[in-house]
């Protein structure tokens, strides 16, 4: 019996980063909140119970799928905190306050990462590929990861440009719709755009993101 040859490893960001299931899962509690709030006659309690129930179901499914308990707990905790804020303030729109603040923080973090020459796209991909900091010594990869990180910065700014006016206008259902539309569809576009930018930044003959081409250390001439 012959052993099948190993399958080549994919460099595609869709395979490395995934994101589809996580993005869809993250939209379910806000969607449930909006449906519960509207169906319950704009009752915050009804929306909160719907969000918490759906969040618990999503958490259970994620654990069943083998997701890390820590990430599952963080996701469920975010739903609980959003629910508490909405209940404390008595404003349904405040269920989305964490979402607004997290996008502002993410935009700042991605922008700063580029400025300090540790683009977060490179940090994330390099960590997944266990490259430590070797990717930073590859000028082509640094260029590609920097450009891709600017794309992600722009995506968070886009979300803020949509979320903030809707938040201040207290448009709960519009926020729910925006939350859904700017999750998986936007992430899919970002992954595709990031991959295109990174590939375009690599010179012909470059072996790809799994194999950083580090610059050789030039020894000074002997005196």
């Amino acid at each position: 019996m012959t052993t099948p040859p190993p399958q080549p490893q994919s460099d595609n960001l869709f395979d490395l980063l995934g994101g589809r299931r996580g993005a869809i899962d993250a939209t379910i509690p806000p969607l449930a909140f909006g449906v519960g709030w509207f169906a319950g006659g704009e009752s915050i309690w009804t929306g909160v119970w719907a969000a918490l129930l759906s969040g618990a179901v999503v958490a259970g499914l994620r654990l069943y799928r083998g997701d890390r308990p820590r990430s599952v707990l963080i996701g469920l905790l975010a739903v609980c905190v959003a629910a508490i804020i909405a209940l404390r303030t008595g404003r349904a729109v405040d269920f989305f306050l964490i979402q607004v603040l997290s996008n502002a923080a993410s935009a700042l973090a991605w922008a700063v990462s580029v400025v300090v020459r540790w683009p977060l796209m490179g940090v994330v991909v390099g960590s997944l590929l266990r490259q430590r900091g070797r990717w930073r010594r590859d000028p082509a990869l640094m260029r590609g990861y920097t450009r891709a990180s600017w794309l992600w910065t722009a995506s968070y700014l886009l979300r803020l440009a949509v979320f903030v006016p809707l938040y201040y206008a207290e448009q709960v259902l519009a926020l729910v719709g925006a939350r859904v539309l700017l999750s998986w569809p936007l992430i899919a576009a970002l992954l595709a755009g990031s991959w295109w930018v990174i590939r375009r930044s690599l010179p012909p003959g470059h072996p790809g993101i799994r194999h950083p081409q580090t610059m050789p250390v030039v020894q000074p001439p002997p005196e």
Side-chain angles (χ1 to χ4, degrees):
M1 182 176 178
T2 59
T3 303
Q7 296 296 320
Q9 293 177 305
S10 173
D11 285 347
N12 197 300
L13 290 184
F14 282 95
D15 298 329
L16 285 174
L17 301 180
R20 178 176 183 176
R21 286 192 312 189
I24 293 176
D25 290 348
T27 62
I28 292 176
L31 180 59
F33 175 84
V35 172
W37 173 80
F38 182 76
E42 300 189 358
S43 168
I44 295 178
W45 275 102
T46 305
V48 163
W49 280 116
L52 292 176
L53 179 60
S54 63
V57 171
V58 168
L61 291 175
R62 291 182 64 190
L63 288 174
Y64 179 78
R65 292 197 307 245
D67 288 4
R68 295 180 179 179
R70 184 186 219 175
S71 64
V72 173
L73 181 60
I74 291 174
L76 185 57
L77 181 61
V79 177
C80 293
V81 172
I84 291 172
I85 293 174
L87 289 174
R88 289 291 300 271
T89 64
R91 300 171 69 238
V93 73
D94 283 338
F95 185 86
F96 301 91
L97 180 59
I98 289 182
Q99 185 68 29
V100 174
L101 295 178
S102 66
N103 277 279
S106 296
L108 180 61
W110 281 80
V112 170
S113 75
V114 173
V115 173
V116 300
R117 295 188 56 79
W118 276 92
L120 278 176
M121 177 57 69
V123 173
V124 172
V125 175
S127 298
L128 290 173
L129 298 179
R130 299 182 179 179
Q131 295 173 344
R132 297 186 178 179
R134 287 192 296 121
W135 56 271
R136 295 188 70 245
R137 298 195 295 273
D138 186 327
L141 276 181
M142 269 292 291
R143 182 166 56 250
Y145 287 146
T146 297
R147 292 170 178 173
S149 295
W150 279 127
L151 283 181
W152 285 79
T153 303
S155 75
Y156 291 113
L157 293 175
L158 171 63
R159 287 192 180 110
L160 286 174
V162 175
F163 291 161
V164 170
L166 294 177
Y167 173 81
Y168 280 108
E170 299 192 19
Q171 297 295 315
V172 177
L173 294 182
L175 270 172
V176 172
R179 179 74 173 81
V180 173
L181 292 176
L182 295 179
S183 59
W184 164 240
L186 180 59
I187 290 176
L190 281 170
L191 290 174
S194 298
W195 184 231
W196 183 83
V197 165
I198 293 170
R199 289 292 300 270
R200 292 280 294 179
S201 301
L202 301 181
H206 193 287
I209 61 177
R210 292 183 180 273
H211 307 284
Q213 300 298 286
T214 57
M215 296 294 291
V217 178
V218 179
Q219 298 292 337
E223 295 182 358

